[in-house]
Amino acid sequence: MSEPVVPNVVTAPEHHTRRRYEVRHVTTYDYENDVTASYGRACLRPRDTPWQDVVSHVTRVEPQPDVLDEGEDFFGNFSHYLEITQPHRRLAVSKTSIIDVEWPAVDLAALDRWSVAEAAAALGQDAAVDPTERARYLLPSALVTLQDEVRDFAATLAWPERPLGQAIAAVTHEIWRDFSYDKTATSTRTTLPEVLAKRAGVCQDFAHLACAVFRAAGLPSRYVSGYIETSPPPGKVKLAGSDATHAWSAVMVPGGRWVDLDPTNNHLADSRYLVTAWGRDFRDVSPLKGVIFSEGGSSTLTVAVDVVRLD
C-alpha cells in the first residue's frame, strides 16, 4: 500500500492556553398527561482530569426529587440517580458548572516512532498500563461494533504498518472530510454499518466510528462526552441556549497516555473542549435516561446549553 499524504489536522497554539468556562445545561421534558413516577440515571457533573479542574457544580431538579444521589460509576464518572414519585407534567434537570481547562498540545510526529501494530503490541506488554482498562476500551461494545464492513473501513485509515501519528491524523481528518454532518440522517439506535452506508451522521456517530477504527487496529479507544466552545457566524450574536453537548474519541498510545481527537471538526482536543464523562460508547455516558410511569400521551424534549468563556 502506497504511503498517502499526511492529513492536515487543525490545531493552533492559542487554543492550548488556560481558560475558564461556565456551562449551563437544562433538559426539560413536558408530558401531555401526569407522570406518576420517574426514575432516572444521569451523567451531569463534569469530571476532574489532568487538564481540567471543576471549580464548582450545582445540579437542580424540578419537581423536587424524593431521591437524588451522586456516586461514581464503573468508568470513574459522576453518576446521578434521581427518583420522583409525585405526579408531574414537567421534569426539568439543570446543571451549572465552572471549569478551568488547559489541554496540552499533542506532537503527532513524535508518535510516528511506532507503527500502529507496534503501538498495539507495546500497550499489551507495558506493565504500567492497566490490563483491565486496556481490555475495557479494546473490545467491541453495544454501539461500537466491528462487523466486516467496519473492519474494512478501519483498514483504510489505520493499517498495521502505518505510523501511529499519521493514523490518528487520518482518522480525525478523513471522517471529517468524507462524512456529512446531518442531524436527520441518524438516531441513537443507528448502527455503524448504517453510518458507513449513509456517509452521514452527527458527532456521536463519528466518535463511535473513530473508536471502532482504533479498536479494530488493536488500540484501546474510548467515547468522550462533553462540550465545545462555539462561535456565532461573523456579524451574528450568539443566542442563549444555542450550544449543544458534544462527543469525540480518545485513543490510548504507548505509555498509557490518551490522545483526544474530534473527527466532527477535524481537531485534536484543545482548551475549548470540556469533559463530562467517558465510556465505551454513548450508552455509558448518556446525559439523562430512565423510566417513567404514565397513562400515556405525547411528550416533548427541550435541551438548552450555554458554554460561556469567563476570562
Side-chain angles (χ1 to χ4, degrees), residues 265-283:
N265 293 299
N266 194 34
H267 294 157
L268 298 183
D270 54 40
S271 297
R272 296 170 294 178
Y273 287 73
L274 309 170
V275 175
T276 298
W278 57 59
R280 296 163 300 181
D281 56 41
F282 170 77
R283 291 186 183 178

Side-chain angles (χ1 to χ4, degrees), residues 171-223:
V171 173
T172 308
H173 178 79
E174 294 184 30
I175 294 176
W176 167 79
R177 184 193 65 188
D178 295 340
F179 289 74
S180 300
Y181 187 90
D182 183 352
K183 293 182 179 180
T184 67
T186 59
S187 72
T188 56
R189 297 179 297 277
T190 301
T191 66
L192 285 183
E194 290 171 338
V195 174
L196 287 172
K198 293 182 177 183
R199 281 297 197 269
V202 295
C203 61
Q204 172 184 299
D205 304 302
F206 305 150
H208 285 151
L209 186 56
C211 286
V213 170
F214 291 123
R215 292 183 197 178
L219 298 170
S221 184
R222 64 193 183 195
Y223 178 98

Side-chain angles (χ1 to χ4, degrees), residues 34-57:
D34 282 347
V35 170
T36 56
S38 178
Y39 305 90
R41 177 69 67 181
C43 287
L44 298 173
R45 181 187 178 110
R47 60 185 298 162
D48 291 301
T49 74
W51 56 88
Q52 175 175 289
D53 296 318
V54 180
V55 178
S56 65
H57 176 80

Side-chain angles (χ1 to χ4, degrees), residues 43 73 77 223-225 277-279 281-287 289:
C43 287
D73 69 10
N77 305 310
Y223 178 98
V224 187
S225 174
W278 57 59
D281 56 41
F282 170 77
R283 291 186 183 178
D284 290 333
V285 298
S286 175
K289 59 185 177 182

Side-chain angles (χ1 to χ4, degrees), residues 39-307:
Y39 305 90
R41 177 69 67 181
C43 287
L44 298 173
R45 181 187 178 110
R47 60 185 298 162
D48 291 301
T49 74
W51 56 88
Q52 175 175 289
D53 296 318
V54 180
V55 178
S56 65
H57 176 80
V58 177
T59 300
R60 295 185 176 88
V61 181
E62 297 179 3
Q64 182 69 32
D66 301 276
V67 178
L68 179 59
D69 285 338
E70 181 181 273
E72 189 174 293
D73 69 10
F74 179 73
F75 305 97
N77 305 310
F78 289 102
S79 178
H80 300 78
Y81 172 74
L82 61 91
E83 184 176 310
I84 302 170
T85 56
Q86 59 180 295
H88 58 280
R89 295 197 176 188
R90 167 171 286 195
L91 170 63
V93 180
S94 67
K95 70 173 187 178
T96 303
S97 306
I98 305 294
I99 302 170
D100 286 338
V101 59
E102 185 177 12
W103 286 74
V106 176
D107 186 353
L108 290 181
L111 294 177
D112 283 343
R113 61 179 290 194
W114 297 278
S115 69
V116 169
E118 289 169 344
L123 287 169
Q125 299 167 3
D126 191 340
V129 174
D130 182 349
T132 302
E133 182 181 40
R134 175 178 170 272
R136 181 183 308 156
Y137 296 114
L138 187 57
L139 296 172
S141 58
L143 296 174
V144 179
T145 52
L146 299 179
Q147 296 94 335
D148 288 345
E149 55 264 62
V150 178
R151 290 185 180 275
D152 289 344
F153 176 78
T156 67
L157 300 179
W159 57 88
E161 300 81 15
R162 190 171 203 180
L164 177 60
Q166 291 184 28
I168 294 172
V171 173
T172 308
H173 178 79
E174 294 184 30
I175 294 176
W176 167 79
R177 184 193 65 188
D178 295 340
F179 289 74
S180 300
Y181 187 90
D182 183 352
K183 293 182 179 180
T184 67
T186 59
S187 72
T188 56
R189 297 179 297 277
T190 301
T191 66
L192 285 183
E194 290 171 338
V195 174
L196 287 172
K198 293 182 177 183
R199 281 297 197 269
V202 295
C203 61
Q204 172 184 299
D205 304 302
F206 305 150
H208 285 151
L209 186 56
C211 286
V213 170
F214 291 123
R215 292 183 197 178
L219 298 170
S221 184
R222 64 193 183 195
Y223 178 98
V224 187
S225 174
Y227 307 91
I228 182 174
E229 179 189 15
T230 62
S231 301
K236 301 293 184 180
V237 176
K238 187 171 182 177
L239 300 177
S242 63
D243 288 315
T245 57
H246 192 49
W248 59 95
S249 174
V251 59
M252 184 185 288
V253 300
R257 296 180 296 116
W258 290 91
V259 174
D260 287 59
L261 56 132
D262 179 5
T264 302
N265 293 299
N266 194 34
H267 294 157
L268 298 183
D270 54 40
S271 297
R272 296 170 294 178
Y273 287 73
L274 309 170
V275 175
T276 298
W278 57 59
R280 296 163 300 181
D281 56 41
F282 170 77
R283 291 186 183 178
D284 290 333
V285 298
S286 175
L288 184 61
K289 59 185 177 182
V291 176
I292 64 170
F293 291 85
S294 175
E295 293 298 322
S298 62
S299 64
T300 59
L301 167 64
T302 305
V303 179
V305 176
D306 292 289
V307 178

